[in-house]
């Protein structure tokens, strides 16, 4: 534990005329009051206020602030009273200690009104005396540094509160150093796995780039020497949390991040900043679009610097920040700089309010004005948080639990933030009591109720709608599982059919003993590999029945009669069927166990041949390794390409009913008479018949005629035929027919 004289010496180093008596008195008083109290770690309780004081000496705070730090827990946790502290240390200090006592935790899961009240108290206290914020942040920082000793659940709650309230508040007040350390510590507890991964990757990168970094530092220093500029150059690595956040926000991988390293150039004056910039830009080329002058236009939190990116000495991109010593101090300590002792005659600066010229002060003032205008605490919370956490939105569950989300978040993000199960089963959302589309961007204060359905599988398209990494990862996982399930379902059907052909019965259990022979890790894996076309049903048969002999399929002569087609199923069985199947035949096909096709949104991985296929068509499926089944109309000439791969053919049938709200693709060829407006007329006929044009291309143009291919989306064969006959009747059309249908 730091000794009394050590603390005094620390302050003396930056403030030679320190009021030693005040520090000594506070040290002894706090130590006596806390007595034998212990922290969760087993350390004497007094070590905590002492460490908080030490943090503030690092920020070069005055002795009054240090004394308040020493005393900050006395009223709350010991027999000390406001009156006693007033008498011993004066009412100014007493008021600060009492202020800190009143600032209870900003409990995130408490009722909105209470939260608003707590935040209001904190902001009011800061505006009166910024030292309240500094002690509060130092207090939180030390608690975060020693969070290991807390109970698990408490630890997570404190870490989340730090990430959601204290770190952004430190940032808003321009205290970058404080913000970064709070974020780093909170990140470690909120997402330990990600923290470890990112930290390890950063360490690895920094190890590998050590030589390059020194080289760049040297070239920059050499350059400034040449231009007679007094400048210090330092390399800087992005912090784990900001790396992680960027990866999440932009859905980037680690490798895609280009700006892990940056270099900071610190000079004497504003003029030198621009001279250094000139020297850099005349030596190396700058990367366009990356230049920012925050000296002429400071950021909201008073941050000032010039930012530029250049193509550096060894042709890498280098990010640079150029600033003065003073700007550097403000970037690091923010409003704390204004609370530094700036007295002239050894007297402690009386006001300690944030300087009125700063942007941070303007923000605080504005916020507090809002607070006195409206008496509705929830409005206040909404407004303040909007300002404080510019990149976040705060929403609530119907039970009043707060969910913090990045800006741009949707009800889907909200659902996943509540729980992965809630996200996976989300089918709709009520925002403030009204049903809203799931793509709705959430606003501060929205109350969101998620409507769920057990039958739901999150659509893959959601992945591009959500903004949180948690939602994105969960959707990807769910989509993968659903696809895997589709493939294994198809695999079961293919195997059932193949076994049946050989007079055997397929059972999943029979696969158990042959996993090794098939080099698959489990039964699911065998099934989905078969479904995917990566493993043939014959290989599985051979594995289960080692004496299985593949029957040689001899291709019969092609049927001569017009309108007859052949179908071969997965096991190589050949069918000959007429082009028009009777109801009886259709029923027979159904009973034969042909794989039912419900369209691309069904439970099998299905796609359609380029020329399309619609319900009513006689169809055949071709297994495409890696992409499921492609459905062809039986008449399609493209099928001949698969003649010598009978194992890829599977027998399929439509399974469409009233509930199928899906259109199917079909290609038609239309020959139009070249006359003004004929194309528009064709389009109109198609639209009037409730069909959609997917693509349209001209294949042949003659002086009088134009032939075009139109890919359509229609409901079924009847719909398609009606459309074709309507087209034929049109005076602009000389011919219309289906392609390969
Ligand atoms: Mn404390």
């Amino acid at each position: 534990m730091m000794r009394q004289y050590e603390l005094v010496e620390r302050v003396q180093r930056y403030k030679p005329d320190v009021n030693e008596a005040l520090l000594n008195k506070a040290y002894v008083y706090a130590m006596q009051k806390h007595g034998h109290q212990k922290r969760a770690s087993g350390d004497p309780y007094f070590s905590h206020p002492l460490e908080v004081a030490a943090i503030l000496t690092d920020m070069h705070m005055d002795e009054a602030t240090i004394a308040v730090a020493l005393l900050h827990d006395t009223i709350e946790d010991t027999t000390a009273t406001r009156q006693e502290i007033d008498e011993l240390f004066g009412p100014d200090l007493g008021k600060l200690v009492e202020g800190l006592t009143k600032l209870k935790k900003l409990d995130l899961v408490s009722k909105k009104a209470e939260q608003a009240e707590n935040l209001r108290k904190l902001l009011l206290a800061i505006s009166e005396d910024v030292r309240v914020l500094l002690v509060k942040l130092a207090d939180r920082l030390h608690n975060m540094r020693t969070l290991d000793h807390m109970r698990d659940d408490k630890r997570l709650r404190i870490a989340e509160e730090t990430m959601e309230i204290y770190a952004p508040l430190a940032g808003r007040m321009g205290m970058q150093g404080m913000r970064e350390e709070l974020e780093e510590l909170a990140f470690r507890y909120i997402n330990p796995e990600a923290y470890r991964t990112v930290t390890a990757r950063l360490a690895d990168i920094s190890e590998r780039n050590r030589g390059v970094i020194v080289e760049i530092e040297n070239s920059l220093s050499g350059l400034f020497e040449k231009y007679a500029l007094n400048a210090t150059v330092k390399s800087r690595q992005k912090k784990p949390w900001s790396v992680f956040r960027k990866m999440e926000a932009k859905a980037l991988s680690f490798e895609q991040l280009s700006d892990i390293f940056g270099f900071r150039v610190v000079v004497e004056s504003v003029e030198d900043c621009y001279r250094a910039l000139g020297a850099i830009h005349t030596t190396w080329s700058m990367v366009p679009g990356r230049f920012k002058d925050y000296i002429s236009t400071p950021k909201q939190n008073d941050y000032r610097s010039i930012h530029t990116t250049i193509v550096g000495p060894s042709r890498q991109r280098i990010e640079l920040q150029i600033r003065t010593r003073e700007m550097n101090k403000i970037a690091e300590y923010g409003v704390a700089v204004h609370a530094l002792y700036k007295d002239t005659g050894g007297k402690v600066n009386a006001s300690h309010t944030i300087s009125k010229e700063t942007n941070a002060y303007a923000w605080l003032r504005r916020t507090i004005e809002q607070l006195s205008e409206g008496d509705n605490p929830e409005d206040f919370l909404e407004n303040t948080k909007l300002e404080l956490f510019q990149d976040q939105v705060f929403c609530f569950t119907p039970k009043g639990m707060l969910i913090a989300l990045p800006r741009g978040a949707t009800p889907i993000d909200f659902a996943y933030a509540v729980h992965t199960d809630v996200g996976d089963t989300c089918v709709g959302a009520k925002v403030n009591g009204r049903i809203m589309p799931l793509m709705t961007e959430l606003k501060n204060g929205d109350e969101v109720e998620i409507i769920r359905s057990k039958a739901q599988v999150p659509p893959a398209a959601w992945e591009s709608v959500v903004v949180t990494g948690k939602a994105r990862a969960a959707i990807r996982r769910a989509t993968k599982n659903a696809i895997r399930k589709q493939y294994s379902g198809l695999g079961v059907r293919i195997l059932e059919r193949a076994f049946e052909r050989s007079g055997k019965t397929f059972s999943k259990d029979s696969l158990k003993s042959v996993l090794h022979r098939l080099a698959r890790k489990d039964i699911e894996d065998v099934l989905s590999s078969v479904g995917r076309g990566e493993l043939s049903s014959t290989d599985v048969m051979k594995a289960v029945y080692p004496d299985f002999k593949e029957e040689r399929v001899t291709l019969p002569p092609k049927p001569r009669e017009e309108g007859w087609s052949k179908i071969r199923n997965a096991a190589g069985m050949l069918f000959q069927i007429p082009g028009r199947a009777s109801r009886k035949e259709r029923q027979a096909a159904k009973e034969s166990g042909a794989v039912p096709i419900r369209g691309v949104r069904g439970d099998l991985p299905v796609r359609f041949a380029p020329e399309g296929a619609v319900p009513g068509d006689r169809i055949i499926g071709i297994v495409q390794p890696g992409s499921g089944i492609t459905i062809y109309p039986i008449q399609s000439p493209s099928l001949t390409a698969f003649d010598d791969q009978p194992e890829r053919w599977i027998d399929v049938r439509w399974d469409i009913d009233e509930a199928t709200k899906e259109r199917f693709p079909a290609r038609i060829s239309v020959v139009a008479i070249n006359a003004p407006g004929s194309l528009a007329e064709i389009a109109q006929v198609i639209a009037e018949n409730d069909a959609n044009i997917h693509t349209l291309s001209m294949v042949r143009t003659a002086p009088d005629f134009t032939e075009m291919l139109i890919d359509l989306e229609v409901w079924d064969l009847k719909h398609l035929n009606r459309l074709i006959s309507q087209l034929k009747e049109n005076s602009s059309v000389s011919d219309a027919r289906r392609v390969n249908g």
Side-chain angles (χ1 to χ4, degrees), residues 39 45 48-49 52 72-73 77 139-140 143:
R39 301 199 86 210
Y45 193 91
H48 165 64
V52 175
H72 83 271
D73 278 334
D77 296 336
D139 177 35
R140 176 51 61 119
N143 286 334

Side-chain angles (χ1 to χ4, degrees), residues 457-587:
V457 175
W462 278 7
E463 207 185 306
S464 56
V465 175
V466 299
V467 301
T468 53
K470 188 182 179 197
R472 199 175 292 122
I475 293 163
R476 204 170 291 170
R477 205 164 44 237
T479 313
K480 246 195 197 152
N481 284 344
I483 291 174
R484 208 180 131 95
K485 242 167 96 184
Q486 286 187 341
Y487 280 121
S488 68
L490 177 58
V492 170
R493 291 189 162 111
I494 291 176
L495 290 174
E496 277 171 358
R497 212 84 356 98
F499 276 62
E500 209 178 281
R501 275 295 304 142
S502 319
K504 320 254 191 217
T505 312
F506 169 71
S507 83
K508 288 188 188 178
D509 286 344
S510 63
L511 298 177
K512 228 180 251 170
S513 55
V514 297
L515 290 175
H516 181 72
R517 207 165 319 154
L518 294 168
R520 306 287 144 158
K521 63 177 191 299
D522 52 33
I523 294 174
E524 261 323 278
D525 196 14
V526 176
L527 298 177
S528 57
S529 299
V530 172
R532 231 177 239 124
E534 290 159 3
L535 181 63
S536 79
S537 55
T538 314
D539 287 342
V540 178
M541 292 278 289
K542 280 183 186 158
V544 178
Y545 300 105
D547 50 352
F548 169 76
K549 287 266 178 337
E550 197 176 356
E551 279 175 57
R552 264 196 99 77
V553 178
T554 48
L555 295 177
K558 291 197 176 176
R560 283 202 192 138
E561 292 97 317
E562 215 177 306
W564 281 73
S565 314
K566 61 176 186 192
I567 311 175
R568 218 176 290 115
N569 76 355
M573 186 184 181
L574 189 89
F575 297 92
Q576 282 195 47
I577 46 163
R580 277 180 185 282
S582 67
R583 179 172 300 172
K584 222 164 133 194
E585 279 175 310
R586 237 176 265 151
Q587 189 57 34

